[in-house]
Amino acid sequence: MRVERVIRDENDSFPVGMRVLAVDDDPTCLLLLETLLTKCKYNVTTTSQAITALKMLRENKNKFDLVISDVHMPDMDGFKLLELVGLEMDLPVIMLSANGDTKLVMKGITHGACDYLLKPVRIEELQNIWQHVIRRKKFDRKDRNGSGSQDKPYIDSSEAAGFGNVDQNGKFNKKRKDQNEDEDEERDENGHDNEDLSTQKKPRVVWSVELHRKFVAAVNQLGIEKAVPKKILELMNVENLTRENVASHLQALFLNLTDLVTKFRLYLKRISCVANQQANMVAALGSVDSSHLRMGTMNGLGNFHTLAGPDQIHNAAFTSFQHGGVLRRLNTPAGVGISGLPSSGLVQLSPVQNLGNTSTNQSKLQSFVIPGNHNANILQGMPMSLEFDQLQNNRAASHVGQFPSVDNTTVLPVSSISGSLIDAGCSNSPLLGVTSNSLLLEGSSQLPTLHASNLRDSVSGFPNRSTLSDFTSIAPASNELHGSKADIQNQASPISCNAGKIISSAPQDWNAPKKDAPYQSNVPSCSINSLRAVNGDMAQLGQCLNQNNPIFNRNVGFDFVDPLSIKCSEGENLAMEPSVIEKEGYLMVQPSRQGSYIPDNEGENFAMEPSVIEKEGYLIVQPRRQGSYIPGNLGSLEGLASAMAKPCYSPVFLAQTSSNFCSKGLSDVVQ
Amino acid sequence: MDVVNQLQRQFIDYSASLHREGFLDDQFTQLQKLQDDNSPDFVVEVASLFFEDCEKLINNMARALEQQQGVDFKQVDASVHQLKGSSSSIGAMRVKDVCIAFRSFCEAQNREGCLRCLQQVTHEYSLLKNKLQTLFRLQQQILAAGGSIPVVE
């Protein structure tokens, strides 16, 4: 209500009456600030304690429009307050300090401050602060509606929704479901948007199946190395499509992928722990909670507490898997070591709760919401977790139901796949998981039987594009996933893998444990076998990754993995910088929201810049050390494209040594 | 009226001298501008707060610097930082300048230097307090005589 009022006021008297909360332990400054703000006609509330301020904010999130806070405070560091406010309440925060040191200013900005003022503060500066509120509101609205930015591919809506959820410790599952439903509706409505670009005020590009096909075809034609948005655009030759649209689409796919990767890694990590005892196909796809990650509990992974026996898993998985396409691919036993699907790591399809919550890393995983929409064969965030549930209970159906996205379009139950993948039995099975998830992304509803068997039908979330075989191959470096903590966090963008290629074939075969050559039985590495690209060539990903093996092997002939699944809501997501962390070969991509608080891991988050390569439908994310963030903006897409073009990585196998996993435990990953 | 004019002129001159001598800077003028019918005593209020705060901070610093066993320079620095912030907010230029020097001594963990600065700060603070009290008295007198406070640019 108040928000609405303010919005209304925007048109008439805003910024008059804008509600500001001023926090400063220095009484002189506080009084001065109060007077100045009142002079600007704002509605001011003051407190000298950060803790009080937080309390006030938490009481009623809509009570204030803006927060101004001093940096140096005795009870709490101003930056910390900044982060908390940004995460919990998503309000604009302005920092205030007598110290104008560039480093401090930088720190403020990186922590999410929308401005940094120096004392003594002047009235002229305060007169402009209302702009931050408007700007923020616009972004927020965009997030929630998933609309706005014309460049946002359809995927954005769900992603946006996913993002929007980041701030709320909500029931992600539920939200995802709702969102997915919404998305579907939206999709139906917006199906024609492509033509309406010009008529709309802010035309949104809807990446319909055809459009996406063209996109994929263009990329294939260009070749991975050359697939830059500009050229893709040219090849696609679609009217009213801009380079930005393409770039953002590319990025969305990538983000989804990275998200998937992260989830997968987490998953793998979890699995590794469990793996010791059994196959750990973790359908980690589901939300992965830190606690879940713990092998023992695995709660997070959609409950795949128990790596159910292979059979169980298989059934579950397959049932849930709606789209047979991918599954088919997975038929080749070899690769599909679904068992290893670390859904958690990769596909954190399940919405991550509390993305913003630094404390709960696990939940972060969940945030990978794979946009269920359309193209995205995205692994529906939820599915994954759900998968586990299914696994557990063999309630594939139910799980599927849970996936919000399980609607056709959605995604992948990567989790489901992962679930299935978790071949409980495999003690050594590293994690496959990923693959299944990603694979699953295959939108085609053909997943018949993943022979991996566990692909759940739920994976059906796959987007319609059956052709998209997006694999995110993540080659786990057979080591524990690196602190996916960071990854998980802010993992708002779902990673959608179109083809849901799953990478990492654990030793477990999907079909009845077929051990294909690539499997290394004890290896943590998962061979991703046959993650077939959409075009049906199951490339044998089967590479077991050994710890030291290069994670990505180049596979020739991959089609462009249509990273449809990578959803990226341009506006918001772009703001996220996925940070990719590579840990022992695992590429974890973690989008991080700008200014979002990444607790305790700042260092880790931005270690890598993954290059994503798509090969035969696999989206291989190639870790780069010390890279820069994956830029969240369009500009980066080209970089991304080129990164993607970088060859040499074959589908990544998620390999985790069970020992590694075990030792680390999910918590590690998450933390 | 003559009295008022006289007082006003006195006020203006005195203000100008304070500015000239560096006791006050432009920020103080801004404060004066903020004073209006809604907050008629604004400047006095802020100044009082500042004096209180200043005393408290000076005491903190003195205590910290007196520690024979080991001076907690971080704490001293925090106090100096705060003093710097409030002095700059009120326009107490000289106090602020001393704070700047004070901070570098803190960073260098130079106890002697800090003590010297503390002395200086105390001195400047007392001076300023006196000056401002005189200024405020003048203001009162003008108001009492029915005049208005002239705005000094």
Side-chain angles (χ1 to χ4, degrees):
Chain A
M1 274 42 76
R2 292 216 61 164
V3 174
E4 286 168 7
R5 192 182 334 147
V6 176
I7 294 176
R8 228 184 312 126
D9 284 346
E10 273 173 41
N11 303 332
D12 26 20
S13 62
F14 193 85
V16 171
M18 186 175 84
R19 298 151 305 161
V20 182
L21 176 63
V23 190
D24 194 336
D25 63 320
D26 183 345
T28 316
C29 298
L30 194 61
L31 176 61
L32 176 62
L33 196 56
E34 186 184 358
T35 313
L36 287 171
L37 289 169
T38 310
K39 215 34 178 229
C40 296
K41 304 230 181 48
Y42 302 138
N43 185 309
V44 191
T45 310
T46 60
T47 172
S48 60
Q49 304 220 327
I51 298 182
T52 315
L54 264 182
K55 226 191 320 176
M56 284 197 260
L57 288 165
R58 282 176 179 149
E59 269 171 25
N60 182 356
K61 299 202 169 160
N62 285 334
K63 211 162 156 208
F64 298 102
D65 298 308
L66 178 78
V67 178
I68 299 187
S69 165
D70 186 30
V71 169
H72 282 86
M73 288 189 288
D75 61 339
M76 186 189 291
D77 183 26
F79 293 118
K80 180 90 188 247
L81 175 66
L82 160 65
E83 284 172 354
L84 289 174
V85 172
L87 288 172
E88 294 183 25
M89 293 111 206
D90 196 29
L91 284 177
V93 181
I94 295 180
M95 302 305 293
L96 201 55
S97 177
N99 191 337
D101 205 27
T102 309
K103 282 197 222 98
L104 272 188
V105 178
M106 178 83 76
K107 193 173 177 195
I109 303 299
T110 53
H111 279 69
C114 41
D115 209 347
Y116 194 108
L117 302 179
L118 293 188
K119 289 185 188 172
V121 68
R122 307 228 309 219
I123 196 165
E124 295 87 359
E125 293 170 320
L126 292 177
Q127 271 163 347
N128 290 330
I129 60 178
W130 59 271
Q131 297 172 8
H132 299 294
V133 177
I134 304 273
R135 239 175 263 137
R136 197 103 171 195
K137 278 215 175 65
K138 279 212 158 28
F139 275 129
D140 284 353
R141 257 181 272 134
K142 255 200 260 177
D143 267 345
R144 300 204 188 100
N145 302 338
S147 63
S149 163
Q150 55 193 340
D151 290 335
K152 284 192 193 169
Y154 196 85
I155 297 176
D156 288 355
S157 59
S158 56
E159 239 191 24
F163 278 126
N165 288 337
V166 174
D167 299 328
Q168 305 151 30
N169 306 337
K171 302 221 158 119
F172 270 91
N173 289 352
K174 182 167 187 288
K175 279 197 168 130
R176 282 265 348 118
K177 203 186 216 161
D178 295 340
Q179 286 158 28
N180 290 332
E181 288 163 9
D182 288 344
E183 286 164 324
D184 285 344
E185 290 167 21
E186 249 183 304
R187 198 199 333 177
D188 294 339
E189 296 166 13
N190 293 339
H192 327 289
D193 273 2
N194 278 347
E195 282 96 49
D196 293 342
L197 289 182
S198 50
T199 60
Q200 290 173 16
K201 190 172 180 191
K202 267 190 177 185
R204 262 187 66 203
V205 175
V206 175
W207 284 88
S208 64
V209 178
E210 293 79 14
L211 203 61
H212 185 75
R213 282 215 181 101
K214 281 191 181 166
F215 177 81
V216 178
V219 176
N220 277 333
Q221 194 175 334
L222 287 168
I224 291 293
E225 289 82 354
K226 297 236 170 44
V228 289
K230 186 163 172 217
K231 296 204 175 143
I232 299 175
L233 181 68
E234 285 166 17
L235 274 182
M236 281 176 74
N237 193 20
V238 170
E239 229 181 86
N240 287 340
L241 195 66
T242 68
R243 190 203 71 83
E244 283 71 32
N245 298 146
V246 174
S248 115
H249 189 59
L250 200 58
Q251 179 161 25
L253 293 173
F254 172 71
L255 282 183
N256 280 328
L257 174 65
T258 54
D259 189 69
L260 215 82
V261 173
T262 312
K263 291 183 179 182
F264 183 54
R265 281 186 159 203
L266 207 68
Y267 169 79
L268 288 181
K269 234 184 173 166
R270 285 190 179 183
I271 295 208
S272 70
C273 278
V274 180
N276 274 346
Q277 309 129 30
Q278 20 187 325
N280 326 322
M281 298 291 245
V282 187
L285 295 185
S287 56
V288 181
D289 284 342
S290 45
S291 54
H292 296 315
L293 287 181
R294 241 151 271 237
M295 281 326 223
T297 49
M298 291 290 199
N299 300 327
L301 300 180
N303 301 332
F304 62 105
H305 300 280
T306 49
L307 294 184
D311 290 346
Q312 236 183 342
I313 297 178
H314 285 263
N315 295 338
F318 280 112
T319 39
S320 55
F321 215 50
Q322 290 171 13
H323 296 280
V326 175
L327 288 180
R328 286 218 204 100
R329 304 237 178 81
L330 296 176
N331 277 342
T332 36
V336 189
I338 309 227
S339 52
L341 270 193
S343 51
S344 55
L346 284 188
V347 237
Q348 179 62 256
L349 295 183
S350 51
V352 175
Q353 300 171 20
N354 307 331
L355 264 192
N357 208 342
T358 58
S359 52
T360 349
N361 305 318
Q362 290 291 341
S363 50
K364 309 272 165 69
L365 272 187
Q366 306 179 354
S367 57
F368 295 141
V369 175
I370 303 246
N373 46 37
H374 52 329
N375 335 326
N377 317 305
I378 318 179
L379 297 176
Q380 205 52 299
M382 285 317 267
M384 291 303 183
S385 44
L386 293 183
E387 304 262 356
F388 277 114
D389 279 328
Q390 288 184 339
L391 281 183
Q392 308 257 321
N393 318 309
N394 267 340
R395 274 181 281 126
S398 55
H399 280 289
V400 178
Q402 291 178 25
F403 296 143
S405 56
V406 181
D407 336 302
N408 325 319
T409 53
T410 49
V411 149
L412 341 160
V414 174
S415 51
S416 52
I417 301 190
S418 50
S420 54
L421 293 185
I422 303 192
D423 252 340
C426 302
S427 48
N428 300 320
S429 49
L431 333 154
L432 275 191
V434 178
T435 52
S436 46
N437 299 338
S438 45
L439 299 178
L440 313 189
L441 294 183
E442 172 84 77
S444 50
S445 30
Q446 331 161 349
L447 298 174
T449 36
L450 246 189
H451 72 257
S453 66
N454 300 334
L455 294 179
R456 304 232 190 131
D457 287 337
S458 53
V459 179
S460 56
F462 288 169
N464 317 329
R465 307 161 196 263
S466 43
T467 53
L468 301 175
S469 45
D470 299 334
F471 269 111
T472 17
S473 41
I474 298 181
S478 74
N479 296 325
E480 55 244 79
L481 294 174
H482 285 267
S484 47
K485 230 196 311 192
D487 304 337
I488 313 284
Q489 294 169 356
N490 313 315
Q491 189 64 278
S493 54
I495 293 185
S496 51
C497 294
N498 293 339
K501 289 193 191 195
I502 298 188
I503 307 156
S504 83
S505 41
Q508 324 270 348
D509 292 339
W510 282 11
N511 290 331
K514 264 197 240 187
K515 308 256 159 130
D516 278 352
Y519 291 142
Q520 293 178 9
S521 46
N522 308 339
V523 177
S525 57
C526 306
S527 50
I528 299 179
N529 293 320
S530 62
L531 283 181
R532 277 213 190 207
V534 179
N535 46 24
D537 301 326
M538 264 295 233
Q540 274 254 338
L541 294 184
Q543 309 210 350
C544 294
L545 294 180
N546 282 330
Q547 213 155 12
N548 302 320
N549 285 349
I551 299 190
F552 301 97
N553 301 322
R554 181 202 292 260
N555 254 330
V556 253
F558 271 11
D559 285 339
F560 176 64
V561 171
D562 177 359
L564 262 198
S565 53
I566 297 183
K567 182 160 93 149
C568 174
S569 45
E570 189 170 285
E572 298 324 297
N573 292 356
L574 289 186
M576 319 230 345
E577 295 173 351
S579 36
V580 177
I581 300 169
E582 190 213 9
K583 266 199 170 242
E584 297 184 347
Y586 280 104
L587 193 61
M588 312 202 51
V589 179
Q590 159 193 358
S592 45
R593 226 137 145 244
Q594 251 172 7
S596 61
Y597 177 60
I598 296 185
D600 310 330
N601 312 342
E602 282 178 272
E604 295 180 327
N605 293 348
F606 316 98
M608 326 282 300
E609 167 193 286
S611 35
V612 179
I613 301 163
E614 192 213 2
K615 286 226 169 217
E616 289 190 357
Y618 291 68
L619 194 56
I620 299 170
V621 182
Q622 171 181 349
R624 281 179 196 274
R625 298 218 162 256
Q626 305 302 318
S628 50
Y629 292 167
I630 298 199
N633 25 36
L634 284 182
S636 63
L637 283 179
E638 304 210 290
L640 184 60
S642 42
M644 289 184 70
K646 295 225 175 114
C648 1
Y649 289 103
S650 60
V652 183
F653 297 116
L654 298 174
Q656 294 263 272
T657 43
S658 35
S659 56
N660 284 344
F661 278 132
C662 284
S663 55
K664 275 260 177 155
L666 283 182
S667 53
D668 283 345
V669 175
V670 178
Q671 301 302 325
Chain B
M1 296 316 112
D2 221 12
V3 175
V4 171
N5 282 341
Q6 215 177 15
L7 285 171
Q8 282 174 334
R9 224 170 314 125
Q10 255 185 305
F11 177 84
I12 293 171
D13 289 340
Y14 196 63
S15 277
S17 78
L18 288 182
H19 278 83
R20 217 176 22 247
E21 289 162 25
F23 285 103
L24 297 174
D25 63 15
D26 190 46
Q27 179 65 16
F28 190 78
T29 315
Q30 300 290 328
L31 287 189
Q32 285 177 307
K33 285 195 191 151
L34 279 180
Q35 184 162 296
D36 59 10
D37 296 336
N38 291 340
S39 42
D41 295 320
F42 176 64
V43 185
V44 178
E45 229 178 289
V46 176
S48 316
L49 270 181
F50 171 68
F51 293 141
E52 267 175 43
D53 208 29
C54 206
E55 275 171 42
K56 193 177 62 170
L57 290 171
I58 288 179
N59 286 338
N60 286 349
M61 291 188 261
R63 241 175 300 126
L65 285 169
E66 272 165 26
Q67 299 294 325
Q68 291 305 326
Q69 37 282 68
V71 179
D72 184 357
F73 284 102
K74 279 218 152 60
Q75 201 191 346
V76 182
D77 186 66
S79 298
V80 177
H81 178 81
Q82 193 173 334
L83 184 60
K84 179 178 167 214
S86 43
S87 56
S88 61
S89 297
I90 198 181
M93 199 163 75
R94 275 156 79 138
V95 176
K96 185 188 73 180
D97 289 341
V98 178
C99 287
I100 295 175
F102 203 152
R103 285 202 89 195
S104 26
F105 282 119
C106 283
E107 270 174 56
Q109 309 223 340
N110 181 337
R111 190 159 170 268
E112 285 305 314
C114 284
L115 283 170
R116 265 203 310 275
C117 279
L118 182 62
Q119 249 183 353
Q120 258 184 295
V121 162
T122 314
H123 178 66
E124 288 297 335
Y125 155 74
S126 317
L127 277 179
L128 181 66
K129 191 168 178 190
N130 283 337
K131 306 261 177 196
L132 279 181
Q133 278 170 343
T134 309
L135 191 70
F136 292 149
R137 237 193 334 265
L138 268 176
Q139 271 185 338
Q140 298 281 21
Q141 287 173 332
I142 295 175
L143 290 173
S148 59
I149 315 290
V151 177
V152 183
E153 292 297 335

